Amino acid sequence: MTELKESKSAGGAAVGSRPWPLADELTAPFWDAAAAQRLVVQRCTECALLRFPPSARCSHCHSDGVEWAELSGRATLYSFIIDHRNMIPGFEGAYTVALATPDEVTDDSIRFVTNVPGCPPEDLRIGMPLTVTFEVVHDGVTLPQFVPEAGS
Ligand code: ZN
């Protein structure tokens, strides 16, 4: 399971950056691809089901056979909220928490949780086209995020 690691100095105080994910054996291929600005998800080698977040077995056929499939990075805004509570260190003011459905997925089996950086909340529309961008959130940690597709 992917853990979130808070940004702490040696003394334990937050240093102002947002929390970042901590890769493990299961999720490392996803984070390595993100660092190379590629968006990948697992694909079952038995039934071809795409899955995310990474898991040890296919939820459809229970196979442990897996390969990594690269996605186009295009997605659709499925839903969103604006969090005004600002309870997570490293975030200032209200921020968007959105669900993006990749274009390759037609059965709603995969959605990415994302902020929509650079997009004012009043400009968000359910169904709007999005495209992936890669944000370095910590040294060596790159987080895929989704932003409005150019021209949308
Ligand atoms: Zn399967």
Side-chain angles (χ1 to χ4, degrees):
M1 169 176 244
T2 301
E3 299 175 43
L4 289 179
K5 181 177 176 68
E6 287 189 27
S7 176
K8 302 277 187 184
S9 70
V15 293
S17 67
R18 61 194 293 172
W20 65 85
L22 193 60
D24 59 20
E25 183 178 338
L26 191 60
T27 63
F30 174 81
W31 298 114
D32 290 347
Q37 306 217 339
R38 297 172 46 243
L39 183 64
V40 299
V41 295
Q42 289 179 314
R43 179 172 42 221
C44 177
T45 57
E46 294 299 319
C47 74
L49 181 76
L50 297 176
R51 62 185 195 255
F52 185 85
S55 59
R57 294 197 175 275
C58 176
S59 63
H60 177 71
C61 73
H62 308 290
S63 168
D64 61 0
V66 66
E67 60 188 359
W68 291 86
E70 185 167 357
L71 302 181
S72 67
R74 290 186 301 277
T76 302
L77 180 59
Y78 177 77
S79 185
F80 68 94
I81 62 154
I82 308 302
D83 191 337
H84 295 272
R85 299 173 301 161
N86 195 10
M87 298 174 67
I88 300 176
F91 288 85
E92 294 190 17
Y95 57 90
T96 301
V97 179
L99 295 175
T101 305
D103 282 3
E104 291 84 353
V105 175
T106 56
D107 60 2
D108 294 331
S109 60
I110 294 177
R111 292 199 178 98
F112 290 98
V113 178
T114 181
N115 303 124
V116 188
C119 183
E122 61 271 17
D123 291 347
L124 293 170
R125 301 286 181 267
I126 301 297
M128 72 189 298
L130 303 172
T131 189
V132 74
T133 185
F134 297 92
E135 180 181 355
V136 176
V137 294
H138 184 70
D139 184 35
V141 180
T142 302
L143 183 64
Q145 298 270 40
F146 287 85
V147 296
E149 193 172 77
S152 64

